[in-house]
Amino acid sequence: MTRGLVNSSRFSPGNLSGEVLEQLFVGRADLMKQLLKRIHLSATREEKHYLLLVGPRGMGKTHFVSLAYHKLKSDPAYAEARERLKIAYLKEEEWGVASFLDLLVRLLQALVAEYGNTKLATGIEQIYEDFKRSPATALHRAETLLIDYVGQDTLLLICENLEDLFEGLDDEGQKRWRAFIQEHPFWTILATTPALFAGIQLQSSPFYNFFTVKHLERIDFDTALELLHQKALLDGRKKLADFLLIPTGRARVRAIHHLAGGNHRVYVIMYDFLDAESLEGLVSPFMRMADDLIPYYQDRLRQLAPQQRKIVEFLCQEARPIAVKDIATRCLISPSVAAKQLSELSKIRFVVGNKVGRESHYELAEPLMRICVDIKDNRTEHLKVFVELLRHWYTRRKPRAKGAGARARHLYPSDPESALAEVEVLADTVGLGAALEALKRLLTNWSEQMDRDMLVDTLSRTLQLESQLRGAVAMARQVSKLRELLERHQQADLLPPVLTEALKAWLLGEELANAEWPLALPSLQQALGDQPGCHLPLILLSVAVRYKHTGDESILLELPLEQRTLLLEGMGASSEQGGEGADTE
Amino acid sequence: MRPLVANPGGRLNVEDIIGREQEIRRYWKVLERQGLVLGAERRLGKTHIVWKMHAVGRQGFTTFYQDLEQVHGLTELVRALYRAVDRQLSGLAKAKRRAIDAWTTLVPKKLGDLELPDASQNWKFLLSEAVKDVLGAVDPEDKVVLIWDELPLMLYNLQKHEGPESPIQLMDLLRSLRQQHGERLRFLFTGSIGLHLVLKSLRAAGNANDSVNDMQHETVPPMSELESMELALRLLSGLESPPADAEQLARHIFQALGGFPYYIHHMVDRLGELGRPPTPADVTRVADQLVTADDDPAHLAYYYERIATYYGKEEKDLALLVLDVIAAQEGAVPMDSLINQVRLKQGGLRDEQVRELCLLLRRDHYLTLEKRDGTSLHDFRWHVVKRWWRENRL
């Protein structure tokens, strides 16, 4: 079977050459080694392994099995297995299998494509002839053909979308297949499926617990970075490859990471965006990607029972984990039915449960699905707001030049940087009120020449200093004056990044556990709640404060998954957090 | 001791099928005098046991293995039997097989104006002939053992495709064949669905006979502690990062899961994903996940669902009560104590009702009976099922 040389086809890893597959394969070397070892054992010994890779669409399943195939065909480490394997690699979507006979014919055709055996090809034609007289005779011929062709070797069946295959086979076809495997133990199988399904999970199913299941987990930040780096090298984009290794580049990837949710394919799709001047343009490519994914999610929804679909659509709208009883109420079903349906949805990885005490709260397992549904329904605000937050979160602020602070002590500020330093010194020594006076002078004199990033950095630090030295309540009281001042000088759009920077700093320390913070929140809300771009940082701040004060994890569930992970990352609870100043643009 | 690679659900090398020697010896002893019905939960290893018997063999026996879940019609059974023994058949018998193949599969059923007899109406004759041919193909000194795996599934298929009469008549014919060829013919039936449950439903459809009361019924027991430890040790030594104290960990695995070989494989497979030497805490965590995970990966809820499917209303309520009481206790529960506790929750019950129910639950592999100092005690057959029951029901 030959594969094309199309580089890095984002939807068809099956079209990539072995070398490209190898280069873009990241983070799963151990799993690959494990599975190939089992296939090797299956080829060289009597034992036989039946392997099933599970992962939602875009997790890299096709890439994985394509690479496994390539290694078995060419890697010297598997020469011994290669001698004894007959590989039948079924196409990614093997539509049209409606019986066990269909499966056998497609398998035989795959073997012909792989090995070019004309006798086998002739035998397949004879099956069609037999079928005209008797289906049972055709089935017997197909079975005999396969048994004779495999002989003393081991048949490796590689097939994707196993659930679809099982659906086509139905109960009778599955039983025939399983019995055939039991009676003719020359099979080893490497299959994939987006989610576990009844055909292999229920005790009443023929293939119950037949497969050794391996879940393809979402890739973490470092693996995603490695993937994109390798892709850049592969595409000959050395500048981009180098860019990805510096903090600014890493920051860009981090921003994508919060939306991609570890989905392999999303990173590859968003790869084109990495070149953009800044994070400004993140929304458009994301919306284009969503266009590609919408048909896939619609199809998945269609396969659900009506009550399940109702639940999933409700969770799409809610965007945060919801308790079972509330889901039941809003979906107009009884709690016991809701619990049962959620359990089923959990098994097929549509939803994921978060246990808080004795109660489970459910949310969509893939935030990407919710975002795609939002986009489809022209509800793009949530995405835009979150992207805006990511932009501020991961934008690196230029620090002031050294010594500017010292100069400011002795001179009336004669340059913007010194003026900024003056503001910060006053915030440190006197208070935010005095700092705002200096800021007024600064904006009056230097507003045109001011480096906005530096200004954001300074203002953020003044808020931090005020809350640290004089308390959160005092800081919150001054924020409305800050807003007035900035509005007067048409600089109110600085407030979102200022607040976000301050938020990041507050999250890292233990300051939010201070008793004043719950008292400060209403003032902050009053001062900034209606300022565009401040709403989401305020929500995150509120959740963080309440969480720090109560330790109640259910508070975190007020946030959708992508916001929750960002918050936890900010609090240093995620293993993917960078240090302060790292991974920002 | 050769290391093993964990292979939950897969096919093992015959020499890697650990233990079960005691069971296998007993089964051969039974087969010397009569047929055998072997029951057990799915994934307990009963098929591996019969494969081992088939591969290793025994002096004085010739065995043939068939997985019957593929059979959906009686004439198909005939063809399947001939194919299973094809290598052994003489040239004449092979020709006969081919003729029967043609007769039972060809459409249409007319040759010119001549009506060909419908093979499906003559299946009894065909099956009897097939058995005779099988016996004829084998050394006359040998007993022939037809290992029919998943027989209850085939009966279910027949009932679904051809109506309840077909499986009823088949079972009667098989009994008659056993009597006719009693010296040399043996059947070894295995099934995941209890054969007795399938026959019960056939009796409800009108068959009053107990067509397998001439066969010995055995239930594949859990692996012994020694065998389970050996399995766990060999699997742990096959890990990329084996544990520091493999014996301690193997014991921990046995205590968590009991002697259920599939779950031992599953456990070690999961431990292998850690990428470091596993610890007892890891074993506890994996075992906990099996019984508490929302998505019920082992479908242990099946043990609860099955009660509703196969038991009448009164039986079901009492069965759940008995199981709840036993699940709440650590260890096995003496019969008297069990009766008292059940009666506390549902007054007016007679002792006999509880005893009969316990018998039924033992036949259905929920419970196991232990005798200690003259006292009968009941416990869940499977520790992992007991844990699930306790975590999810109580």
Side-chain angles (χ1 to χ4, degrees):
Chain A
M1 182 181 278
T2 55
R3 302 267 170 193
L5 291 172
V6 175
N7 271 8
S8 205
S9 163
R10 66 186 200 197
F11 288 115
S12 299
N15 288 335
L16 302 178
S17 71
E19 292 68 34
V20 170
L21 288 169
E22 191 84 65
Q23 192 163 348
L24 293 179
F25 187 71
V26 293
R28 291 168 175 159
D30 284 345
L31 180 59
M32 177 66 78
K33 194 172 152 196
Q34 264 187 52
L35 296 194
L36 288 177
K37 178 178 176 180
R38 281 161 160 154
I39 293 173
H40 178 89
L41 286 170
S42 300
T44 54
R45 292 176 56 82
E46 195 189 321
E47 70 191 83
K48 297 289 176 270
H49 293 256
Y50 313 119
L51 308 165
L52 180 62
L53 281 177
V54 181
R57 188 70 66 98
M59 275 304 158
K61 299 186 298 297
T62 302
H63 190 143
F64 195 107
V65 298
S66 300
L67 180 59
Y69 167 79
H70 164 71
K71 281 176 168 300
L72 286 167
K73 291 285 288 184
S74 59
D75 190 329
Y78 303 104
E80 192 189 354
R82 192 158 45 247
E83 289 294 306
R84 304 197 205 178
L85 277 177
K86 293 275 194 321
I87 303 178
Y89 193 155
L90 298 191
K91 293 184 289 234
E92 189 173 337
E93 260 126 12
E94 200 63 33
W95 304 117
V97 170
S99 67
F100 178 50
L101 176 60
D102 279 337
L103 175 61
L104 286 176
V105 168
R106 271 150 185 74
L107 223 149
L108 290 164
Q109 287 168 339
L111 289 169
V112 170
E114 185 73 34
Y115 301 103
N117 187 301
T118 48
K119 193 171 162 204
L120 196 58
T122 309
I124 295 172
E125 289 307 311
Q126 196 54 48
I127 293 171
Y128 295 118
E129 287 304 312
D130 283 343
F131 191 80
K132 290 177 196 169
R133 295 192 343 265
S134 155
T137 307
L139 178 60
H140 179 53
R141 182 181 291 277
E143 288 174 347
T144 308
L145 208 54
L146 184 64
I147 292 164
D148 290 344
Y149 183 72
V150 175
Q152 297 303 307
D153 288 340
T154 296
L155 173 69
L156 167 60
L157 169 63
I158 302 177
C159 68
E160 300 213 61
N161 295 307
L162 189 71
E163 183 178 2
D164 292 340
L165 197 65
F166 268 48
E167 204 181 302
L169 287 171
D170 208 354
D171 182 65
E172 181 176 327
Q174 290 169 37
K175 281 174 176 165
R176 287 189 185 280
W177 187 17
R178 187 172 172 273
F180 189 77
I181 294 172
Q182 301 288 67
E183 288 188 5
H184 305 282
F186 52 62
W187 298 70
T188 181
I189 300 173
L190 175 60
T192 74
T193 187
L196 294 173
F197 55 96
I200 53 173
Q201 278 196 296
L202 296 185
Q203 291 222 18
S204 52
S205 302
F207 281 87
Y208 167 66
N209 276 357
F210 184 84
F211 291 92
T212 300
V213 172
K214 296 292 172 190
H215 291 275
L216 283 187
E217 302 297 345
R218 298 176 189 281
I219 56 177
D220 60 22
F221 169 72
D222 288 325
T223 307
L225 187 62
E226 174 65 16
L227 169 65
L228 295 169
H229 177 68
Q230 288 300 324
K231 187 160 164 44
L233 289 173
L234 188 68
D235 291 346
R237 296 169 72 177
K238 185 152 184 335
K239 207 170 149 193
L240 176 59
D242 291 339
F243 172 67
L244 290 172
L245 298 179
I246 64 174
T248 311
R250 287 169 62 93
R252 191 70 61 84
V253 176
R254 274 208 187 277
I256 294 172
H257 183 61
H258 282 287
L259 287 165
N263 185 305
H264 199 268
R265 182 172 294 169
V266 171
Y267 292 108
V268 176
I269 291 171
M270 297 304 285
Y271 165 79
D272 291 329
F273 156 76
L274 290 171
D275 270 324
E277 282 294 311
S278 75
L279 284 162
E280 291 273 354
L282 184 57
V283 174
S284 298
F286 206 87
M287 288 179 64
R288 278 200 301 277
M289 178 208 65
D291 275 343
D292 289 334
L293 286 173
I294 282 166
Y296 161 67
Y297 284 124
Q298 283 175 326
D299 192 53
R300 282 192 75 194
L301 274 174
R302 264 196 289 274
Q303 289 168 29
L304 297 177
Q307 277 179 341
Q308 291 174 343
R309 207 178 313 149
K310 206 176 2 170
I311 291 172
V312 169
E313 284 169 352
F314 168 68
L315 289 176
C316 277
Q317 286 160 23
E318 283 303 308
R320 59 187 175 88
I322 309 283
V324 175
K325 58 178 175 15
D326 295 327
I327 294 172
T329 306
R330 298 303 304 229
C331 292
L332 301 174
I333 52 182
S334 72
S336 58
V337 168
K340 185 171 186 311
Q341 296 294 11
L342 285 162
S343 170
E344 294 300 316
L345 286 169
S346 178
K347 280 180 199 166
I348 56 176
R349 295 218 166 176
F350 251 95
V351 302
V352 65
N354 301 277
K355 240 195 169 79
V356 182
R358 289 183 67 87
E359 218 176 8
S360 279
H361 291 65
Y362 284 89
E363 61 187 334
L364 289 184
E366 292 182 47
L368 210 52
M369 178 177 180
R370 168 170 41 81
I371 291 168
C372 285
V373 168
D374 278 348
I375 290 170
K376 180 182 80 63
D377 292 343
N378 289 319
R379 290 194 305 268
T380 55
E381 235 4 79
H382 174 79
L383 172 66
K384 286 180 180 161
V385 162
F386 185 62
V387 167
E388 179 81 1
L389 177 69
L390 287 177
R391 186 161 74 83
H392 297 313
W393 193 283
Y394 289 112
T395 297
R396 189 190 188 92
R397 310 290 163 197
K398 215 187 301 177
R400 284 197 310 275
K402 245 176 151 180
R407 280 208 302 276
R409 278 192 214 108
H410 299 294
L411 303 168
Y412 181 78
S414 61
D415 61 74
E417 279 197 41
S418 299
L420 279 173
E422 171 80 4
V423 170
E424 194 171 328
V425 165
L426 284 169
D428 189 4
T429 53
V430 183
L432 183 51
L436 287 178
E437 284 303 312
L439 179 64
K440 197 173 11 176
R441 284 195 298 275
L442 181 157
L443 288 172
T444 305
N445 295 320
W446 301 107
S447 152
E448 298 297 312
Q449 294 98 310
M450 190 56 60
D451 183 303
R452 285 168 61 87
D453 276 352
M454 274 195 226
L455 183 53
V456 166
D457 184 48
T458 301
L459 290 177
S460 152
R461 285 224 282 259
T462 56
L463 291 183
Q464 292 167 52
L465 282 166
E466 185 73 1
S467 65
Q468 195 184 325
L469 298 171
R470 284 158 213 101
V473 170
M475 179 272 299
R477 275 202 214 110
Q478 299 289 348
V479 168
S480 55
K481 291 182 187 158
L482 172 63
R483 178 175 175 176
E484 277 169 29
L485 183 54
L486 291 174
E487 278 173 344
R488 218 176 298 142
H489 292 275
Q490 285 87 52
Q491 302 276 13
D493 60 337
L494 291 176
L495 284 165
V498 167
L499 182 59
T500 304
E501 279 299 311
L503 172 63
K504 279 166 60 183
W506 288 325
L507 287 174
L508 268 181
E510 278 308 308
E511 189 181 328
L512 292 182
N514 186 291
E516 283 210 9
W517 271 99
L519 303 171
L521 285 175
S523 302
L524 280 173
Q525 181 62 34
Q526 195 168 7
L528 296 175
D530 63 340
Q531 172 65 36
C534 286
H535 179 66
L536 190 48
L538 282 173
I539 288 174
L540 295 185
L541 180 61
S542 167
V543 167
V545 167
R546 285 183 291 127
Y547 174 62
K548 289 273 191 187
H549 280 260
T550 61
D552 182 1
E553 286 184 358
S554 68
I555 290 170
L556 296 173
L557 299 183
E558 292 175 14
L559 300 172
L561 184 58
E562 64 277 14
Q563 291 175 20
R564 208 154 70 234
T565 51
L566 187 65
L567 185 67
L568 287 169
E569 180 185 297
M571 288 197 289
S574 161
S575 60
E576 294 183 355
Q577 65 131 3
E580 190 179 349
D583 296 357
T584 52
E585 289 222 346
Chain B
M1 190 167 65
R2 196 171 67 79
L4 294 178
V5 171
N7 189 3
R11 189 173 182 122
L12 309 178
N13 296 315
V14 166
E15 68 255 26
D16 292 335
I17 300 171
I18 289 172
R20 302 302 204 175
E21 299 302 337
Q22 201 176 345
E23 287 87 355
I24 289 174
R25 268 197 303 273
R26 188 165 72 250
Y27 301 154
W28 281 124
K29 257 190 117 65
V30 169
L31 288 168
E32 275 170 14
R33 62 174 191 272
Q34 67 187 125
L36 177 61
V37 179
L38 208 55
E41 289 80 353
R42 297 206 62 184
R43 313 275 64 171
L44 187 54
K46 58 184 177 307
T47 300
H48 273 96
I49 289 174
V50 301
W51 282 340
K52 189 169 180 178
M53 291 173 72
H54 178 57
V56 174
R58 172 101 156 187
Q59 181 90 6
F61 289 91
T62 299
T63 55
F64 298 99
Y65 170 83
Q66 288 175 263
D67 184 322
L68 294 187
E69 67 190 301
Q70 64 187 308
V71 172
H72 289 74
L74 287 164
T75 51
E76 190 175 358
L77 175 61
V78 175
R79 291 197 301 277
L81 182 54
Y82 271 117
R83 276 175 205 149
V85 306
D86 192 57
R87 270 205 201 94
Q88 241 93 337
L89 291 177
S90 66
L92 192 63
K94 280 190 201 251
K96 186 174 169 188
R97 174 180 80 69
R98 283 194 290 274
I100 289 172
D101 252 9
W103 184 21
T104 58
T105 59
L106 274 183
V107 176
K109 301 273 192 265
K110 261 185 164 183
L111 191 65
D113 285 335
L114 188 65
E115 288 265 348
L116 290 173
D118 188 348
S120 64
Q121 301 299 320
N122 292 275
W123 67 270
K124 288 186 188 177
F125 166 74
L126 291 171
L127 187 57
S128 304
E129 282 295 296
V131 167
K132 256 202 290 194
D133 286 339
V134 169
L135 290 168
V138 167
D139 184 334
E141 294 298 314
D142 279 3
K143 292 187 171 47
V144 171
V145 183
L146 297 178
I147 302 173
W148 281 7
D149 202 2
E150 304 294 1
L151 171 80
L153 277 180
M154 180 187 72
L155 298 180
Y156 171 81
N157 294 341
L158 291 176
Q159 187 173 18
K160 194 172 156 191
H161 282 251
E162 299 182 1
E165 272 304 304
S166 285
I168 290 169
Q169 289 185 26
L170 172 64
M171 295 307 289
D172 287 343
L173 175 65
L174 292 176
R175 186 193 172 89
S176 144
L177 287 171
R178 288 196 296 275
Q179 284 165 351
Q180 197 181 335
H181 303 285
E183 268 301 304
R184 294 182 63 215
L185 178 64
R186 300 285 181 269
F187 286 100
L188 196 173
F189 298 153
T190 80
S192 314
I193 306 173
L195 180 58
H196 66 282
L197 289 169
V198 173
L199 293 178
K200 186 177 165 187
S201 78
L202 292 179
R203 271 198 285 277
N207 174 19
N209 302 324
D210 183 349
S211 47
V212 288
N213 63 0
D214 60 325
M215 298 174 75
Q216 174 98 345
H217 291 245
E218 293 269 343
T219 302
V220 177
M223 285 173 78
S224 68
E225 181 171 349
L226 209 61
E227 289 171 344
S228 302
M229 293 271 301
E230 186 191 337
L231 174 60
L233 277 167
R234 286 185 66 182
L235 289 170
L236 290 168
S237 65
L239 290 177
E240 289 288 325
S241 310
D245 187 342
E247 190 148 334
Q248 181 209 33
L249 210 66
R251 186 159 295 108
H252 212 77
I253 290 172
F254 174 72
Q255 281 160 0
L257 299 173
F260 206 128
Y262 170 81
Y263 289 120
I264 295 174
H265 273 265
H266 170 85
M267 166 67 75
V268 177
D269 182 54
R270 284 284 175 268
L271 295 177
E273 289 173 357
L274 294 170
R276 56 167 171 77
T279 64
D282 295 321
V283 170
T284 304
R285 187 179 44 81
V286 172
D288 283 348
Q289 275 167 2
L290 261 178
V291 300
T292 60
D294 277 347
D295 62 349
D296 190 10
H299 192 208
L300 294 169
Y302 173 73
Y303 290 93
Y304 168 71
E305 291 159 7
R306 210 172 85 179
I307 303 255
T309 307
Y310 290 110
Y311 288 52
K313 183 174 187 319
E314 272 182 34
E315 273 177 340
K316 170 192 157 193
D317 291 343
L318 186 54
L320 292 177
L321 200 48
V322 165
L323 292 170
D324 285 349
V325 165
I326 298 175
Q329 315 272 328
E330 287 299 327
V333 181
M335 180 58 99
D336 290 344
S337 169
L338 177 61
I339 292 172
N340 287 339
Q341 289 185 66
V342 168
R343 207 179 271 140
L344 268 174
K345 294 179 189 289
Q346 190 177 326
L349 281 172
R350 291 176 292 111
D351 289 12
E352 204 43 44
Q353 281 175 285
V354 179
R355 289 181 202 282
E356 274 176 15
L357 206 289
C358 285
L359 200 61
L360 184 60
L361 288 171
R362 279 168 53 206
R363 280 184 78 183
D364 287 342
H365 309 151
Y366 283 86
L367 298 180
T368 188
L369 176 70
E370 194 188 318
K371 286 275 193 198
R372 223 188 278 159
D373 301 327
T375 306
S376 296
L377 301 102
H378 285 88
D379 201 355
F380 274 77
R381 173 179 282 275
W382 300 109
H383 182 67
V384 68
V385 175
K386 183 173 185 172
R387 276 204 64 198
W388 181 90
W389 205 277
R390 186 185 292 162
E391 297 288 339
N392 292 274
R393 285 265 310 155
L394 305 182

